[in-house]
């Protein structure tokens, strides 16, 4: 085996330029795919982090049907204190949940005494909310990084449009569940930067204030956002808590709650999916490049060496040895390409990280990507290339092994 | 007992509708440790009979035996392994593997065909390189050798497995006069030393002058058998 290997390597170094060109083609393909995976992967990772850590959370629990009518922020779809108790019990019984936050979401009018506009508001407990979506307070551009009672965090857009600043007094007016209207004065505690996607334009106030505006006697929360201790357990925990909650049925006999992961809650998930599809097609392209280039050199190699094949076959070399000689040659070519590709890739990633790849997404400017590649991705790509290299050599190698020595020797 | 026995061997090539009778009922016997040549004009069937004896091709009719093996009906794999064990080849164009050194070329059949252990392999290769006078060139590649040197390496390669029989189709055709004699000389020495049978095909008067038995082929038929010095 070692000797077949030696012969294969010698044959590769025999046509240095051709071997170099083919290997570099594979190298370029591998670098391209790996860099693409690294950059898009870090983009995905960063965006998912931004979305889940800024406002969505990892998982959300609502009353059944809430999400379908979320545009109206219906107060009639809130969880009653009894239901809330059941949800909280289920949360405590499910392992892997780091924090959760109860939110009262409602739409209202925001007035600076001169003008009035619409606003979407979240009544939250600041400590719980900060634990569940840790980036929230970092989005506060002006004002203290907290939510005090009697204060409101206003999204940047509304603050600009209404020309209000931190410390100004404003009025929030909202219709409660029964249809009566109520208003309350707030001091602007902070201006909050918009994040990516829906909910990025929401204002925040203390949950007690929200209850007061909405004249709630007891707390009817609209949603509960969860944060997991380990994001990779997302689907696992989602399944578990869904299971724990499924025993509570509503009047129609269906589960009373709906549990969604961020994937269902943010349109970015579809972008992430698109990226995955693109990655898939780029991998297919890599396979095609490797297949065609290796097949091409191996067909040439067999053709050029017909007399040599005839000679070793006449001497008594068994067909499977001849087969493996050519397969190993394709294999080695693939390995060369992959090795240099992987090394070059780490160089490219190092440079990208040193230079700092920034991009803007929506109203967020200067997000810095730090592309890294998982070892598992490197293994998968390497395995694909090497397997394809061997597969591409199969036909020429088989042809070589099937040659009749007498015909091959006569070949000029 | 003779080493090679041909009984009424015929070979017909078919290309489309055209049949070419390259050999027409050849019968002969070749003794062990002999130096034999097929001689005849171009197209008389010299290469064809050598290919048949070398298990590279099968006769259309008749039987061919080497030792006690009937080689007229071997399948592909059996023929390959029979060649590997019993037959050495020397080619007109030397046919050394260009990516292997002189040493590795001679080692090849022991390594890739016969699986001889490393110590013995080394010894046998060195002995033969010594015998053909190529030991100083052992680390050179074929493209650094002259034609005669290449053919000496090829002789060593054919002999290294200690085959019963070595077939050489026009081994001196691409060598100059002096070199050709040198190679023939070496082969003769090897024949005496190892008791190997050499079967040539040639027009070359140098070989014709050196061999013990000459089979003269004419148009696919055995026209004459001449034994010299015996
Ligand atoms: N593969 C083949 N297909 C068809 N005809 C063939 C084939 N090989 C040889 N022949 C024919 O068989 C006859 C004998 O050929 P062979 O090669 O044995 O001659 P030779 O004595 O070796 O000639 P030379 O001295 O030119 O090498 C020739 O007429 C040749 O054309
Ligand atoms: Mg011939």
């Amino acid at each position: 085996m070692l000797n077949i290997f030696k012969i294969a390597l010698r044959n590769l170094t025999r046509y240095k330029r051709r071997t170099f060109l083919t290997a570099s083609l594979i190298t370029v393909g591998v670098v391209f795919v790996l860099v693409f995976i690294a950059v898009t992967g870090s983009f995905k990772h960063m965006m998912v982090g931004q979305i889940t850590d800024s406002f969505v959370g990892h998982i959300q629990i609502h009353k059944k049907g809430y999400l379908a009518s979320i545009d109206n922020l219906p107060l009639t779809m809130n969880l009653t204190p009894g239901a809330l108790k059941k949800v909280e019990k289920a949360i405590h019984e499910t392992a892997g949940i780091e924090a959760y936050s109860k939110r009262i979401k409602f739409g209202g009018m925001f007035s600076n005494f001169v003008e009035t506009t619409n606003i979407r508001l979240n009544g939250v407990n600041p400590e719980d909310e900060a634990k569940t979506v840790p980036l929230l307070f970092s989005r506060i551009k002006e004002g203290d990084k907290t939510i005090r009672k009697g204060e409101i965090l206003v999204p940047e857009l509304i603050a600009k449009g209404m020309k209000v600043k931190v410390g100004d007094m404003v009025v929030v007016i909202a219709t409660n569940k029964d249809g009566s209207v109520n208003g309350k004065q707030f001091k602007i505690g902070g201006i909050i930067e918009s994040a990516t996607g829906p909910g990025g334009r929401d204002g925040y106030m203390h949950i007690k204030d929200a209850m007061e505006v909405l004249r709630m006697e007891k707390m009817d929360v609209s949603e509960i956002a969860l944060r997991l201790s380990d994001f990779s357990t997302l689907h696992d925990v989602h399944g578990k808590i869904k299971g724990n909650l499924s025993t509570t049925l509503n009047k129609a006999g269906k589960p009373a709650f709906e549990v969604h992961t961020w994937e269902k809650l943010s349109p970015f998930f579809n972008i992430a999916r698109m990226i995955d599809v693109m990655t898939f097609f780029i991998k297919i392209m890599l396979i095609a490049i490797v297949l065609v280039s290796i097949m091409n050199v191996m067909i040439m190699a067999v053709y050029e060496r017909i007399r040599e094949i005839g000679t070793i076959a006449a001497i008594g070399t068994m067909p499977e040895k001849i087969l493996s000689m050519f397969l190993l040659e394709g294999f080695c070519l693939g390995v060369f390409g992959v090795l240099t590709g992987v090394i070059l890739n780490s160089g490219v990633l190092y440079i990208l990280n040193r230079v700092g790849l920034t991009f803007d997404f929506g109203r967020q400017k200067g997000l810095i990507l730090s592309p890294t590649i998982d070892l598992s991705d490197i293994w998968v790509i390497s395995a694909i290339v090497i397997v394809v290299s061997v597969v591409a050599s199969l036909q020429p190698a088989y042809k070589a092994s099937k040659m009749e020595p007498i015909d091959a020797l006569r070949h000029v | 007992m003779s080493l090679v026995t041909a009984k009424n061997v015929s070979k017909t090539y078919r290309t489309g509708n055209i049949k070419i009778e390259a050999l027409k009922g050849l019968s002969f016997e070749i003794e062990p440790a002999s130096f034999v040549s097929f001689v005849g004009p171009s197209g008389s069937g010299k290469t064809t009979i050598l290919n048949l004896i070398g298990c590279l091709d099968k006769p259309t009719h008749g039987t061919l035996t080497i030792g006690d093996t009937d080689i007229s009906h071997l399948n592909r794999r059996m023929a390959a392994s029979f060649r590997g064990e019993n037959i050495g080849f020397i080619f007109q164009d030397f046919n050394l593997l260009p990516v292997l050194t002189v040493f590795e070329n001679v080692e090849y059949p022991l390594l890739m065909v016969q699986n001889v252990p490393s110590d013995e392999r080394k010894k046998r290769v060195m002995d033969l390189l010594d015998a053909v006078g190529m030991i100083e060139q052992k680390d050179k590649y074929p493209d650094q050798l002259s034609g005669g040197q290449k053919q000496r390496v090829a002789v060593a390669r054919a002999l290294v497995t200690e085959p019963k029989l070595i077939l050489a189709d026009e081994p001196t055709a691409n060598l100059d006069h002096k070199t050709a004699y040198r190679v023939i000389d070496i082969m003769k020495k090897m024949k005496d030393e190892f008791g190997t049978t050499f079967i040539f095909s040639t027009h070359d008067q140098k070989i014709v002058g050196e061999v013990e038995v000459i089979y003269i082929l004419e148009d696919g038929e055995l026209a004459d058998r001449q034994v010299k010095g015996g």
Side-chain angles (χ1 to χ4, degrees):
Chain A
M1 191 66 182
L2 212 67
N3 304 292
I4 303 183
F5 203 71
K6 181 180 78 185
I7 293 176
L9 283 179
R10 296 261 183 93
N11 273 315
L12 281 178
T13 49
R14 179 171 170 186
Y15 304 103
K16 288 200 183 61
R17 184 184 314 205
R18 184 206 297 167
T19 301
F20 173 77
L21 285 176
T22 309
S24 3
L25 195 60
I26 296 172
T27 298
V28 168
V30 168
V31 170
F32 187 75
V33 171
L34 287 179
V35 170
F36 183 84
I37 291 177
V39 171
T40 56
S42 69
F43 171 73
K44 248 165 63 181
H45 194 76
M46 152 162 279
M47 291 312 293
V48 171
Q50 284 279 322
I51 288 160
T52 57
D53 294 353
S54 297
F55 53 94
V56 174
H58 295 156
I59 291 176
Q60 290 184 2
I61 302 170
H62 305 98
K63 185 176 174 170
K64 186 91 191 163
Y66 185 86
L67 208 61
S69 47
I70 194 160
D71 283 340
N72 312 323
L73 300 173
L75 293 166
T76 50
M77 301 284 288
N78 282 4
L79 297 166
T80 59
L84 178 61
K85 225 181 213 156
K86 283 181 183 148
V87 173
E88 291 196 273
K89 185 166 167 279
I91 290 173
H92 289 300
E93 283 169 0
T94 309
I97 296 170
E98 190 176 285
Y100 68 96
S101 177
K102 295 170 276 195
R103 295 169 178 167
I104 298 174
K105 295 174 90 83
F106 63 102
M109 305 294 280
F110 175 95
S111 170
N112 62 358
F113 302 103
V114 182
E115 280 177 278
T116 303
T117 186
N118 294 321
I119 188 170
R120 292 159 55 101
L121 285 161
N122 296 269
V124 296
N125 180 324
E127 287 82 44
D128 292 345
E129 189 71 10
K131 280 185 205 151
T132 310
V133 285
L135 289 182
L136 174 68
F137 287 152
S138 70
R139 282 167 54 211
I140 299 176
K141 271 174 62 179
E142 294 164 39
D144 296 333
K145 301 204 179 293
T146 182
I147 304 171
R148 290 190 201 90
K149 269 194 215 153
E151 291 184 354
I152 181 173
L153 291 181
V154 184
E156 198 181 2
L157 270 179
I158 289 181
K160 269 197 189 135
M162 301 293 282
K163 299 187 187 70
V164 288
K165 55 187 188 308
V166 175
D168 286 0
M169 295 306 287
V170 294
V171 175
V172 170
I173 305 151
T175 313
N176 70 12
K177 197 158 77 174
D178 313 323
S180 60
V181 179
N182 188 29
K184 183 172 156 54
Q185 263 209 6
F186 285 92
K187 192 167 97 181
I188 294 187
I191 311 288
I192 189 160
E193 214 172 40
S194 69
T196 319
R201 295 176 179 188
D202 288 22
Y204 287 85
M205 62 173 63
H206 198 282
I207 196 162
K208 290 275 163 56
D209 288 334
M211 287 171 69
E212 211 183 307
V213 174
L214 295 171
R215 288 206 173 118
M216 277 182 193
E217 306 272 282
K218 299 196 204 93
M219 196 189 288
D220 288 353
V221 303
S222 323
E223 83 185 10
I224 298 169
L226 310 183
R227 179 177 184 77
L228 309 183
S229 27
D230 178 3
F231 184 68
S232 65
T233 61
L234 182 71
H235 293 108
D236 193 31
V237 174
H238 174 243
K240 276 191 196 139
I241 193 145
K242 213 170 163 178
N244 287 348
L245 285 171
S246 64
T247 47
T248 311
L249 304 179
N250 59 19
K251 285 181 199 104
K254 298 263 170 56
F257 307 107
E258 53 187 26
V259 186
H260 294 107
T261 63
W262 75 271
E263 296 161 344
K264 280 275 159 40
L265 301 163
S266 165
F268 181 76
F269 182 61
N270 292 321
I271 298 178
R273 287 268 292 273
M274 269 310 290
I275 290 174
D276 290 342
V277 171
M278 276 164 68
T279 310
F280 174 75
F281 280 110
I282 282 179
K283 281 183 194 165
I284 300 265
M285 271 168 59
L286 177 69
I287 290 176
I289 289 174
V290 174
L291 197 72
V292 171
S293 55
I294 297 256
M295 217 172 199
N296 181 43
V297 257
M298 292 315 292
I299 287 172
M300 265 164 56
V302 169
Y303 185 78
E304 286 164 342
R305 277 182 242 153
I306 290 179
R307 278 176 64 92
E308 286 167 43
I309 296 164
T311 306
I312 61 173
I315 287 177
T317 312
M318 280 297 172
E320 55 271 17
K321 279 219 170 125
I322 299 177
L323 183 89
S324 45
M325 248 177 234
F326 283 93
L327 287 187
L328 265 178
E329 206 172 314
F331 172 86
C332 290
L333 203 48
V335 170
F336 282 153
V338 163
L339 276 183
T340 34
V342 168
I343 292 166
L344 261 175
N345 168 65
S346 41
V348 171
L349 291 188
Y350 176 78
I351 291 167
L352 284 183
N353 278 308
R354 279 293 292 270
V355 170
L357 211 57
T358 62
F359 73 108
D360 302 336
F361 194 87
R363 293 179 41 80
Q364 278 183 296
K365 306 270 186 249
L367 293 171
I368 295 172
L369 279 186
S370 47
T372 50
I373 188 112
D374 279 353
L375 212 56
S376 66
D377 280 320
I378 291 182
W379 282 122
V380 168
I381 294 298
S382 306
I384 289 176
V385 170
I386 292 169
V387 167
V388 170
S389 302
V390 173
V391 168
S393 317
L394 215 56
Q395 192 272 341
Y398 181 76
K399 198 179 155 206
S401 76
K402 282 285 159 199
M403 262 176 209
E404 282 299 335
I406 182 172
D407 299 327
L409 283 169
R410 234 201 341 254
H411 191 267
V412 277
Chain B
M1 203 189 116
S2 43
L3 179 62
V4 182
T5 312
K7 281 196 190 121
N8 206 19
V9 169
S10 307
K11 178 73 187 175
T12 309
Y13 291 111
R14 237 174 260 272
T15 32
N17 284 331
I18 307 161
K19 284 206 256 177
I20 298 164
E21 289 187 76
L23 296 177
K24 302 167 185 164
L26 258 58
S27 298
F28 55 85
E29 291 185 2
I30 294 171
E31 300 306 311
S34 50
F35 220 51
V36 176
S37 184
F38 287 92
V39 182
S42 185
S44 57
K46 302 183 295 292
T47 297
T48 306
I49 186 65
L50 253 62
N51 285 342
L52 293 184
I53 298 171
C55 302
L56 294 170
D57 209 350
K58 282 184 229 170
T60 318
H61 295 292
T63 55
L64 250 177
T65 51
I66 294 180
D68 30 53
T69 310
D70 180 356
I71 58 159
S72 340
H73 303 291
L74 294 179
N75 68 27
R76 223 175 101 79
R77 295 182 56 85
M78 281 157 68
S81 89
F82 186 85
R83 289 194 302 268
E85 292 300 325
N86 301 291
I87 302 175
F89 289 91
I90 297 169
F91 303 92
Q92 180 178 337
D93 303 311
F94 327 125
N95 290 16
L96 298 177
L97 297 182
V99 294
L100 300 183
T101 63
V102 165
F103 182 92
E104 290 164 338
N105 261 292
V106 178
E107 188 189 26
Y108 181 95
L110 297 180
L111 192 62
M112 302 292 284
V113 181
Q114 290 198 343
N115 285 317
V116 173
S118 138
D119 289 345
E120 194 191 335
R121 221 162 53 214
K122 208 168 224 154
K123 186 180 163 345
R124 271 159 76 172
V125 174
M126 292 308 273
D127 284 352
L128 270 164
L129 284 177
D130 195 23
V132 299
M134 286 297 292
I135 213 150
E136 255 143 50
Q137 270 85 359
K138 74 178 174 59
D139 294 323
K140 286 191 177 166
Y141 284 88
D143 58 7
Q144 299 166 302
L145 302 179
S146 70
Q149 289 176 321
K150 282 186 207 169
Q151 200 60 308
R152 275 145 65 192
V153 176
V155 171
R157 177 177 68 181
L159 275 161
V160 77
T161 56
E162 295 173 7
K164 296 190 187 98
L165 184 61
I166 288 183
L167 297 169
D169 193 359
E170 320 235 10
T172 53
N174 288 340
L175 300 178
D176 64 58
H177 205 79
K178 221 179 98 204
T179 320
Y181 268 116
R182 175 109 206 258
V183 171
I184 295 165
D185 212 47
I186 285 169
M187 293 195 282
K188 215 166 180 179
K189 233 176 71 197
M190 297 295 119
K191 180 227 134 190
D192 293 335
E193 200 175 321
F194 295 94
T196 316
T197 298
F198 279 79
I199 303 177
F200 303 95
S201 93
T202 193
H203 311 279
D204 191 342
Q205 283 308 314
K206 297 184 287 295
I207 289 189
V208 175
E210 297 294 327
V211 296
E212 297 159 352
V213 184
I214 301 169
Y215 288 102
I216 298 178
L217 281 175
E218 258 166 42
D219 205 14
E221 290 180 75
L222 213 50
D224 196 8
R225 175 174 183 269
Q226 299 174 359
V227 182
K228 286 205 265 169

